Amino acid sequence: MLNPKLLTPPPAGSRLLMSGNEAVARAVWEAGARVAAAYPGTPSTEMLENLALYPDLYAEWSVNEKVSMEVAIGASLAGARAFCAMKHVGLNVASDALMTITLTGIVGGLVIAVADDVGFSSSQNEQDSRYWGRFAHLPVLEPADSQEAYAMALEAFALSEKFSAPVILRMTTRVCHVKCLTTVGERQLHRVANSFTKDPRRWVMVPGNAQHHVPKMLVRDKALAEATASSPLNRIEAGSDNRIGFITSGAAYMHVRETFPNAPILKLGFSHPLPIALVRELANQAEQLIVVEETEPLLETEIKAQGIVVHGKDWLPAHGELSPAILRKGLATLLGEATAANEVAPNVKLQNVAQRAPLNIFPRPPTMCPACPHMSVFYTLSQLRNVNISGDIGCYTLGAGAPWKALDTCISMGASMGVALGLDKGRGPDDEDKKIVAVIGDSTFLHMGMQGLLDIAYNRGNVTVLLLDNRTVGMTGGQENPGSGRDLHGNPAPRVDFAKLVEALGIAKDRIHVLNPYQLPVLFKTLRQETKTPGPSVIITDRPCVLTDYYEILKPYEVDDSLCTGCGNCVEVGCPAIRVTRREKAIKPSGKEVELAFVDIDTAACTGCDICVQTCAPKAIRHVPVRPSIKTIGIVAAGE
């Protein structure tokens, strides 16, 4: 079935306002790519979402990044141009395939877009993917804006086929999401070969075959080094202020150019291998050199190894975005200048702008959506005592926050399983009676959790697993997965039966429970029963994310002020539709002072999930009365 959302691509020569992700998608399509695969993850998600809207190519959400890279590799070996995208931590998952294909080489151009989350906008770490270029002996391209992302994605396919190697397109959050005008071209049909060529000595990487590829890779390294030295993607921009010469790449280049508009700059677009001759040339134009790179001192270390005096992380931070404010503050002392904390860039003038004190905005921590099926799970977990809870990557990671505080660990995707087993097997005398619970979502379970559950079953771990099936990849925007019943284009697809899958992984049938998380008594009873019973068990909660079209909105609730006692039980559910209107002090019969929290419900946000109703002892929460519509009133007035 064709994707009903397919767009008609704007014609060549169009100037479009595009984010970096959108620009990459357009370039991949124009380059004649036939296959594209990815696993959603901010800040890379929109690359494939946009690419899936273009005609004449195959695009898929893969179950994880390793599989997406393997799909792209297979397409390349068949002679087609191929593309895969992932966020920085996804390349850790895909690295096994990457480190082998770099030895064999490719056939059709293979481009790997990796989006680094500089600044921790939505990730558990801030690793620098440029290291993978060095580790895997691959070229690395670093665009600074959308137009460059478009141009470099096109160039990456050409480089890939020229050197028979995958090319890493290193994006960062700012480049991925900031929009600028981008001029686009036409799609070019491109295919290197019409079929897969059998060559076991090249493609079957047993040790006897693999060792013969290493010398070829080293020869390729030398050719790549020559290519970077003459590449138009690397350039020196002359400047009139030669106190400092800057070496930079990616979004950091934009910040340097804004902050020091008159300084000479070596802008690296083809950043690996490092064009050391250009560095020496810049050194002859400036009194001293500064490397401005996000995030690790990678270029700085390589330049110092060449005997060139250079500054970098001795003046600038090794984490976060290197914004103009950070650059001015970090380099003011080096330049012998004083910089106020709120100083505006020298080349930016503000007119008719009153200086105002910062607004005192009420803090709004991340929380779950009203009626989220995960809320009841963490509310129930928060009522349990003597339990250690290992968590995972997804919306449910918010269970670590208030009011639930019902998550003790979160390491990486799928890690909840192995961590839970380790907490079980490594427990000390003080933890002998502790119950171990692992919490994981449906897409995360399919991504990397299945192996962990298999390990729990195989090694007879005393762990209860909460598998939260909300039929989507919720944290990254509601993408499809093998558990949703639809593919990337929204077409019907086989849906995983999690109960059968869990049983196949070794969990006894009588220890598998599928239940409605909105039924608090059933959830609480099942969870308490399974955590008390030795051995592995799985509780599957089966209700869709409230932001998907699978979810059915019910009649909203409101609070009867005359019945509300201020007990605050409903507040502990954590629903953002419940608002505390006033707090009062009270004295219990025992003489203990308590704080009462009186509430109301935002009926526009409430979806009628019923969780809060089940916690309300005085029965003060009731359905909003049906108010007659204007049409109904008219009918009644007419006597009909």
Side-chain angles (χ1 to χ4, degrees):
M1 183 185 299
L2 291 176
N3 179 7
K5 298 179 181 179
L6 282 178
L7 54 76
T8 300
S14 299
R15 295 189 72 210
L16 309 172
L17 188 62
M18 307 181 89
S19 68
N21 285 342
E22 292 169 333
V24 168
R26 172 73 188 213
V28 171
W29 176 74
E30 284 186 22
R34 296 290 300 162
V35 173
Y39 181 83
T42 304
S44 69
T45 305
E46 296 84 7
M47 291 187 214
L48 202 75
E49 285 186 331
N50 281 277
L51 193 53
L53 301 178
Y54 285 92
D56 305 321
L57 61 77
Y58 169 80
E60 71 165 40
W61 285 131
S62 304
V63 294
N64 65 28
E65 296 84 0
K66 180 175 182 288
V67 172
S68 76
M69 183 169 291
E70 290 161 349
V71 170
I73 288 171
S76 170
L77 301 190
R81 284 187 165 182
F83 172 79
C84 64
M86 61 202 68
K87 66 185 295 179
H88 59 307
V89 289
L91 193 48
N92 301 337
V93 179
S95 62
D96 192 11
L98 174 71
M99 296 305 293
T100 299
I101 198 65
T102 186
L103 279 175
T104 67
I106 52 85
V107 180
L110 175 56
V111 176
I112 304 162
V114 183
D116 283 6
D117 192 10
V118 177
F120 289 97
S121 68
S122 61
S123 305
Q124 65 269 38
N125 67 41
E126 195 187 30
Q127 70 190 50
D128 192 329
S129 295
R130 294 178 301 162
Y131 278 107
W132 286 108
R134 280 75 177 168
F135 195 17
H137 299 259
L138 297 178
V140 177
L141 304 185
E142 295 188 70
D145 61 17
S146 300
Q147 184 67 64
E148 287 194 355
Y150 165 83
M152 289 186 187
L154 285 172
E155 177 65 16
F157 282 103
L159 284 173
S160 176
E161 289 167 359
K162 179 179 179 179
F163 294 102
S164 185
V167 174
I168 294 175
L169 183 68
R170 192 241 185 174
M171 308 280 284
T172 60
T173 301
R174 188 161 295 272
V175 178
C176 287
H177 292 160
V178 172
K179 296 194 175 190
C180 72
L181 287 173
T182 305
T183 304
V184 300
E186 295 181 358
R187 177 167 166 83
Q188 304 294 324
L189 297 179
H190 194 98
R191 195 173 185 97
V192 175
N194 290 320
S195 64
F196 171 63
T197 301
K198 294 180 181 295
D199 186 356
R201 190 167 175 81
R202 181 179 182 185
W203 304 126
V204 181
M205 292 295 280
V206 294
N209 292 338
Q211 62 184 344
H212 298 295
H213 291 286
V214 176
K216 299 176 184 177
M217 182 181 69
L218 299 178
V219 170
R220 184 180 73 207
D221 285 349
K222 293 180 180 179
L224 284 169
E226 294 173 0
T228 58
S230 59
S231 173
L233 299 180
N234 299 324
R235 64 177 185 269
I236 293 179
E237 299 178 356
S240 58
D241 183 357
N242 65 354
R243 290 177 298 168
I244 296 180
F246 290 92
I247 303 166
T248 187
S249 63
Y253 162 78
M254 295 296 194
H255 297 152
V256 170
R257 176 50 70 207
E258 177 183 341
T259 314
F260 301 96
N262 300 317
I265 299 176
L266 170 55
K267 183 194 182 301
L268 298 174
F270 190 169
S271 65
H272 180 257
L274 175 66
I276 200 66
L278 291 178
V279 177
R280 295 188 190 279
E281 183 179 340
L282 180 68
N284 293 330
Q285 300 179 20
E287 296 174 10
Q288 50 190 335
L289 299 181
I290 289 281
V291 179
V292 180
E293 53 186 328
E294 299 172 342
T295 53
E296 300 280 352
L298 193 156
L299 295 175
E300 178 185 347
T301 302
E302 292 182 350
I303 293 169
K304 287 179 176 178
Q306 295 292 325
I308 301 173
V309 178
V310 68
H311 294 284
K313 298 305 180 185
D314 48 345
W315 293 99
L316 298 172
H319 63 88
E321 289 189 303
L322 299 179
S323 65
I326 296 294
L327 292 177
R328 287 193 300 276
K329 183 178 179 181
L331 300 180
T333 304
L334 182 63
L335 292 169
E337 300 174 350
T339 304
N342 60 349
E343 182 183 351
V344 182
N347 57 319
V348 177
K349 295 182 179 179
L350 298 180
Q351 297 179 346
N352 303 321
V353 178
Q355 296 295 320
R356 299 187 181 95
L359 293 175
N360 185 18
I361 300 174
F362 183 79
R364 298 194 63 176
T367 191
M368 297 177 194
C369 301
C372 174
H374 301 336
M375 276 197 306
S376 57
V377 171
F378 286 103
Y379 171 76
T380 303
L381 286 172
S382 71
Q383 307 303 306
L384 296 179
R385 298 294 176 265
N386 205 29
V387 58
N388 289 331
I389 307 165
S390 68
D392 228 296
I393 304 295
C395 294
Y396 42 87
T397 312
L398 297 169
W404 315 283
K405 298 181 180 178
L407 209 63
D408 300 314
T409 72
C410 179
I411 306 300
S412 61
M413 289 199 75
S416 60
M417 301 295 182
V419 169
L421 183 60
L423 287 171
D424 174 37
K425 300 299 184 181
R427 67 175 77 204
D430 294 339
D431 285 338
E432 285 185 356
D433 296 329
K434 283 283 179 72
K435 304 169 181 64
I436 309 297
V437 174
V439 182
I440 193 168
D442 53 340
S443 58
T444 307
F445 180 75
L446 296 171
H447 175 278
M448 200 56 74
M450 292 185 287
Q451 300 93 325
L453 181 60
L454 179 62
D455 200 53
I456 289 173
Y458 176 66
N459 291 294
R460 297 177 292 278
N462 191 12
V463 175
T464 296
V465 174
L466 276 163
L467 174 48
L468 312 183
D469 177 15
N470 65 355
R471 296 188 70 177
T472 191
V473 189
M475 181 62 87
T476 54
Q479 291 77 26
E480 307 296 343
N481 67 64
S484 71
R486 295 191 294 215
D487 66 13
L488 170 59
H489 303 293
N491 298 323
R495 185 186 176 200
V496 169
D497 185 324
F498 282 103
K500 290 182 179 179
L501 176 57
V502 165
E503 184 180 2
L505 290 171
I507 305 300
K509 193 170 185 178
D510 63 342
R511 301 298 303 279
I512 301 170
H513 306 271
V514 181
L515 51 81
N516 180 350
Y518 295 119
Q519 296 176 354
L520 288 181
V522 176
L523 175 60
F524 186 83
K525 179 181 178 181
T526 306
L527 188 56
R528 187 171 57 179
Q529 169 189 314
E530 288 303 325
T531 53
K532 285 183 177 180
T533 307
S537 61
V538 175
I539 300 171
I540 303 169
T541 63
D542 184 18
R543 281 300 179 272
C545 169
V546 298
L547 299 182
T548 66
D549 56 10
Y550 297 114
Y551 184 79
E552 180 182 355
I553 297 177
L554 304 175
K555 193 196 308 187
Y557 287 94
E558 65 179 8
V559 177
D560 185 338
D561 290 334
S562 65
L563 297 178
C564 180
T565 62
C567 69
N569 288 343
C570 61
V571 177
E572 294 181 9
V573 169
C575 180
I578 299 174
R579 304 174 296 197
V580 176
T581 56
R582 72 181 191 278
R583 295 184 184 274
E584 297 179 3
K585 301 289 185 181
I587 305 296
K588 283 188 170 184
S590 63
K592 181 180 178 181
E593 184 180 74
V594 295
E595 184 178 69
L596 303 179
F598 294 89
V599 303
D600 69 4
I601 293 176
D602 182 350
T603 56
C606 177
T607 64
C609 73
D610 193 76
I611 301 175
C612 61
V613 177
Q614 298 176 64
T615 68
C616 183
K619 306 299 182 185
I621 302 175
R622 63 189 183 188
H623 277 303
V624 174
V626 178
R627 297 179 176 88
S629 66
I630 295 176
K631 180 178 179 181
T632 304
I633 293 174
I635 293 175
V636 173
E640 295 180 12

